[in-house]
Amino acid sequence: MSHAGKAHSFGSCSAISNSQTVHHYINEDKDGVYSGSAFVKYDTIYFFYTGNVKHAGDHDYILTGREQNVILVTSKDGINFSEKKVVLRNTDFPKDMSLHVRDPKVWEENG
């Protein structure tokens, strides 16, 4: 399948074509996204990326004031995308970790 002349993104936009951008921000990626990774299984592309949230206030943004949320989006064709699903939130990580956990790397092992 050729997508020549079209750019596609799974982060904060979906299907950028002919200079049209449709934003689909959710609360868990409202301040931007960080790269991630993807894999294909059973004709479905599974994209995982980090949604960034910065809270207002006097924070160091290392241990306080930031959220990093791992988000999943799927696609059958690389053009149309599913709704975003948060699979990991700040509260899922140990409390003493930096809030700069990002860029998830995913793979299937022994599968």
Side-chain angles (χ1 to χ4, degrees), residues 31-76:
D31 292 317
V33 301
Y34 293 106
S35 65
S37 59
F39 71 92
V40 177
K41 185 170 183 172
Y42 303 123
D43 297 324
T44 299
I45 309 166
Y46 295 83
F47 299 95
F48 293 83
Y49 70 92
T50 304
N52 184 38
V53 177
K54 284 187 172 180
H55 298 284
D58 185 24
H59 299 287
D60 65 4
Y61 296 106
I62 297 170
L63 296 175
T64 65
R66 175 187 298 273
E67 293 177 36
Q68 76 279 339
N69 302 294
V70 178
I71 299 171
L72 167 65
V73 179
T74 62
S75 178
K76 293 282 189 184

